[in-house]
Amino acid sequence: MATYIVLLGSPGAGKGTQADILIEKTGLVHVSSGDLFREHIKNKTELGQLADSYMSKGELVPDDVTIAMVRKRISNPDCEHGAVLDGFPRTLVQAETIKITLNEMGEDISVVPYITAPDEILIARLSGRCTCRASGHVFHKLYSPPAKEGICDIDGSELYQRDDDTVETAKKRLHVYAEKTLPLINYYRKQDKLVEIQGDQPIEKVTEDLLAALNIKV
Ligand code: AP5
């Protein structure tokens, strides 16, 4: 049976940061809906154009195209042992649909770590984040700066600030999260899959708690 981990949490909670660490420890594949959309934007595809019109305003991309994109990604052979889903699902429709898709494959979501942090911390994180252009690795100007300013420690590519990482768009994303994604907490709690992780701790401590919750030995 494959392992599908859904990382749930507000924008800036640390899902991408922890997903990168988790895939190293587990060998699972990182499937980030935000990264997939950014790849489409970079390649100037039709989907990228559509996604950009929502992402730049801090709104969610419509369910139908998002679900189709993620379904296609997880049907790739590299996901045969499972995946760390980051930023997906984000609505009840997405959660229900991915459950049906996985059940049809004889699989299910294994566990849902829910990373929490107060809004003022999230806004400071998002507005100070710098992202690697080649692979989406994330750093923070103050909390986890790269060794060389503007350069990714991991692959040496340029670091940039995402268009949606302004204070104004971050606030909008938190509002959309509260409205559309918060209901998923009860949805997964009722299925006994939710594990709460305190995200306003140093990155290493969040990882330690996450690995302990997932019963992964380092
Ligand atoms: P997406 O790319 O998924 O963004 P998000 O959910 O808003 O999440 P972020 O990437 O902003 O935050 P994160 O939790 O990964 O934090 P990170 O680890 O980077 O989505 C972008 C847009 O795409 C959406 O607004 C929407 O339009 C669209 N979209 C995507 N998926 C969709 C879906 N399923 N349905 C519809 N639309 C969708 O950390 C943030 C910063 O904090 C970094 O600088 C990091 O270094 C720092 N940091 C992390 N942890 C710590 C810590 N413990 N202490 C100090 N600093 C920390």
Side-chain angles (χ1 to χ4, degrees):
M1 186 131 177
T3 305
Y4 289 91
I5 299 170
V6 169
L7 286 183
L8 197 59
S10 311
K15 303 181 298 294
T17 302
Q18 297 300 329
D20 278 341
I21 300 169
L22 214 47
I23 57 165
E24 244 181 62
K25 309 268 182 213
T26 60
L28 295 172
V29 174
H30 183 187
V31 174
S32 154
S33 42
D35 285 352
L36 291 173
F37 283 133
R38 281 183 285 278
E39 195 60 29
H40 276 280
I41 293 172
K42 193 163 90 181
N43 294 332
K44 298 187 169 36
T45 67
E46 211 176 302
L47 173 57
Q49 247 180 345
L50 176 81
D52 196 24
S53 67
Y54 291 91
M55 291 168 77
S56 58
K57 289 185 274 185
E59 289 168 5
L60 293 187
V61 180
D63 281 337
D64 54 348
V65 289
T66 306
I67 290 165
M69 177 184 73
V70 174
R71 261 190 176 153
K72 185 167 175 228
R73 179 65 189 88
I74 62 172
S75 67
N76 198 303
D78 67 346
C79 290
E80 68 173 331
H81 298 299
V84 177
L85 299 177
D86 160 14
F88 183 94
R90 246 173 157 96
T91 65
L92 284 170
V93 172
Q94 293 179 14
E96 270 298 307
T97 315
I98 195 68
K99 181 171 172 48
I100 293 166
T101 302
L102 291 177
N103 288 170
E104 281 169 2
M105 293 157 58
E107 305 290 351
D108 202 355
I109 302 292
S110 316
V111 60
V112 182
Y114 166 41
I115 308 177
T116 61
D119 280 6
E120 61 274 19
I121 289 185
L122 299 171
I123 289 169
R125 284 185 187 174
L126 293 171
S127 54
R129 172 167 56 188
C130 26
T131 304
C132 145
R133 220 174 261 291
S135 315
H137 301 120
V138 289
F139 298 85
H140 191 281
K141 286 174 190 160
L142 302 176
Y143 310 144
S144 54
K148 198 169 167 202
E149 199 186 328
I151 304 291
C152 175
D153 287 353
I154 300 161
D155 56 28
S157 83
E158 180 205 2
L159 297 176
Y160 76 107
Q161 182 174 32
R162 274 169 45 178
D163 290 346
D164 58 350
D165 277 349
T166 60
V167 171
E168 196 190 342
T169 315
K171 283 184 180 164
K172 168 76 180 175
R173 284 156 66 199
L174 291 176
H175 179 78
V176 170
Y177 172 82
E179 191 187 352
K180 303 269 175 61
T181 310
L182 267 187
L184 293 188
I185 291 154
N186 264 340
Y187 174 83
Y188 285 121
R189 189 175 277 137
K190 279 189 197 149
Q191 295 175 30
D192 212 17
K193 294 189 191 297
L194 200 82
V195 190
E196 219 164 304
I197 307 288
Q198 200 186 322
D200 55 340
Q201 312 182 76
I203 292 173
E204 301 71 28
K205 182 70 179 81
V206 178
T207 305
E208 201 182 303
D209 290 356
L210 185 59
L211 296 178
L214 298 177
N215 207 10
I216 295 170
K217 308 251 182 320
V218 271

